[in-house]
Amino acid sequence: MSRFDNAMTSLRSSGVGRWYYGRERSEQLIIAAVASLVVVSVLWMVLWKPISDWRALEANRHQNAQQLLDWMRKNEQAAKQAARSGNQANQAGRALIPVITRAADAHDLKLNRLQPESNGVISVVLQQQSFNQIIRWVAQLNENNGVSIERATFDSEDAPGYVNAQLRLE
């Protein structure tokens, strides 16, 4: 006897086999069709669907990576140019800090915070300083060094003529 014959004999002698073979032939066909449908559905849900979804996801990732690579190759020169100009802006920003601090010292202003930013702008915070001195300092920076104000915020202090200021200089 072959293994298949042994398996069929074991199936017929089991409780499920006795129940199945005790049915009429038309019922056996319906049960076999439903069982086949269940087996195919389980195989589809457990094997085919996850593999198919994974394949589609990886194909999408590959396409996105390829598009990014194509875009990067297309814009390589522009990125290099932007990096060069960014380095020049940072160097200009570093050179701007000593100019700002020397001018502030010349006008007897105390800078509470001086912070360079990535785009070459320098943020400056002054607290409890004379409004007139700040205006003279900014005017001197503009006239002598070409430093301009991108944004300025002033808050009044209790003492007349004194303010807190936040400036963005470029």
Side-chain angles (χ1 to χ4, degrees), residues 22 26 43 80 87 116 139 146:
S26 62
L43 287 175
K80 286 180 181 178
N87 287 340

Side-chain angles (χ1 to χ4, degrees), residues 71-86:
W71 180 86
M72 288 174 66
R73 285 180 179 160
K74 185 177 177 181
N75 294 304
E76 180 179 14
Q77 292 302 321
K80 286 180 181 178
Q81 179 64 30
R84 277 189 234 114
S85 67

Side-chain angles (χ1 to χ4, degrees), residues 59-78:
N60 190 22
R61 283 184 184 168
H62 178 265
Q63 181 182 6
N64 289 343
Q66 187 64 47
Q67 288 175 347
L68 178 61
L69 179 62
D70 293 343
W71 180 86
M72 288 174 66
R73 285 180 179 160
K74 185 177 177 181
N75 294 304
E76 180 179 14
Q77 292 302 321

